[in-house]
Each structure stands twice: as C-alpha cells, then as structure tokens.
Amino acid sequence: MQSLTRQHQSLQDEYGRLREQLASKTMSGAQTRHLQAEIQQQQQMLQSEEQRLAGMAIQQGATPIPGVSTSPLTAQPGYGKALTVYAQVRAASDGVHVTMPVTSLFGSDNRLSADGEQRLQAISGILKQTAASEILVRVAPQPLGANVATQRAETILRTLRRNGIPDKVLALATGAGLSTGTAELLLVNASPTP
C-alpha cells in the first residue's frame, strides 16, 4: 500500500512538472506569436512608407518617359527628394552624393544603431529605384583610426546588400576628402546606352 502511495505521489509530482512545462511552452509560444505579429506589422509599416516615398519621388519628376533613357542625374529631382528625408543629397558630375552623419547610423559601440538600420533600410528601398551603375560606400577617416572607417563602410555595404541592393553595384571607396564624421553613398551615373 505504501509503495502504491509513493508511486501515486511520484506520478502526481511528474504530472505537475509536465503541466508547468506545458504552461511555460504555451506562454513562450504566445510571446513568440506576439513578437512575430509585431515584426510583421513593423515590416508592413516600413513597406508602406517606402511605397509612399517612391510615390512622392514619381510625382516630383522621376516618371520615366517610354523610350528615353533616364540617368540618375536627370532622375535626381525625384528620388533625390525622397532621399532628403534621410540624408543630404547633392548631384555632381560624378554622380549623386548621399551624405549622412556617421552618428545617425552608428552607436557608440561601433555597430549600427536601430535608427541606423531603419535609415539604411529606407534608403535601400529608394536606391532600388535608381539606375546607378555603381554605388560607392565611403566613410570619412575617423579619429579612432582608418580601420574604424573601413569597418563602418563594410557594415553599411553589408546592410545595403542584405536590404536587396545587388552586390554587383556595391563597392567600397576611400573616404578621403569627406568631412569628418560623415558617411556617403555615391551613386555613379548609369552608362549611356548606345
């Protein structure tokens, strides 16, 4: 009888542990589903913002004319204005310069900040609309050394690639000549078609 009582008690203890595990997994699953729903909602908001910005760019002069090749300089008023939400934009003979303060992208620990990730994701969405033959990623030399500038430029390049910018158009370039504390994307003009 005592043996049966001990077995019964042991089974009840095991049943209690299993119920706790099930409750824990159920709670964890609910949290995971909640986080996934929140992530999906954020992605939808970002996509709608990118579409809104792309729509603004088209309304402001980037509408392609059938049969006419559009270079980034001629399209600059359209997507350039959309980019000005996130960066300083300047058209020049060598392409379109998209310049941002390094502090708007990186935290103090030399990694992209959450704001920097969002900024680059939004910029990537706009850059997909351009006809640039090459996008040069440059970061001004840092007081912490040239290696820091190179590492930051590589981080920006990897993030653009991850956000859908084709690897064949991305390249690192020296940050010499840039103002201290700035990062730049240089959108090199598309080659004219014969």
Side-chain angles (χ1 to χ4, degrees):
M1 184 65 154
Q2 286 181 340
S3 173
L4 286 174
T5 304
R6 281 194 301 268
Q7 281 182 335
H8 181 263
Q9 184 61 40
S10 174
L11 287 172
Q12 280 188 327
D13 291 345
E14 181 65 23
Y15 177 70
R17 280 193 297 275
L18 289 173
R19 283 183 60 125
E20 285 178 24
Q21 287 178 354
L22 179 61
S24 173
K25 288 188 189 264
T26 301
M27 177 63 88
S28 176
Q31 288 174 337
T32 301
R33 283 190 301 277
H34 175 73
L35 287 174
Q36 287 172 337
E38 194 172 313
I39 289 168
Q40 188 175 12
Q41 182 183 15
Q42 292 290 332
Q43 287 174 334
Q44 288 171 346
M45 287 171 52
L46 183 61
Q47 286 173 347
S48 68
E49 182 64 16
E50 285 176 359
Q51 289 171 350
R52 185 181 73 80
L53 288 172
M56 284 173 47
I58 289 169
Q59 288 175 356
Q60 295 173 356
T63 306
I65 300 167
V68 176
S69 173
T70 307
S71 74
L73 278 178
T74 58
Q76 194 274 334
Y79 74 76
K81 287 181 183 176
L83 284 171
T84 59
V85 173
Y86 306 101
Q88 189 175 44
V89 180
R90 176 179 59 86
S93 60
D94 59 345
V96 177
H97 296 257
V98 180
T99 309
M100 301 155 276
V102 170
T103 55
S104 70
L105 299 173
F106 293 92
S108 59
D109 60 356
N110 237 6
R111 289 187 300 186
L112 276 179
S113 64
D115 288 344
E117 285 273 1
Q118 288 178 342
R119 181 181 295 256
L120 287 177
Q121 190 169 17
I123 287 172
S124 297
I126 298 167
L127 292 180
K128 290 176 193 175
Q129 311 299 316
T130 70
S133 60
E134 193 170 26
I135 299 172
L136 301 178
V137 180
R138 308 169 24 157
V139 175
Q142 303 294 304
L144 303 172
N147 283 344
V148 173
T150 303
Q151 290 169 352
R152 287 178 170 180
E154 288 171 346
T155 299
I156 293 169
L157 185 135
R158 281 193 306 271
T159 303
L160 293 173
R161 182 184 303 137
R162 192 174 61 240
N163 289 333
I165 302 298
D167 196 39
K168 65 182 181 182
V169 300
L170 291 170
L172 291 177
T174 177
L178 289 180
S179 302
T180 303
T182 59
E184 180 179 86
L185 305 175
L186 174 58
L187 284 56
V188 178
N189 298 333
S191 305
T193 52

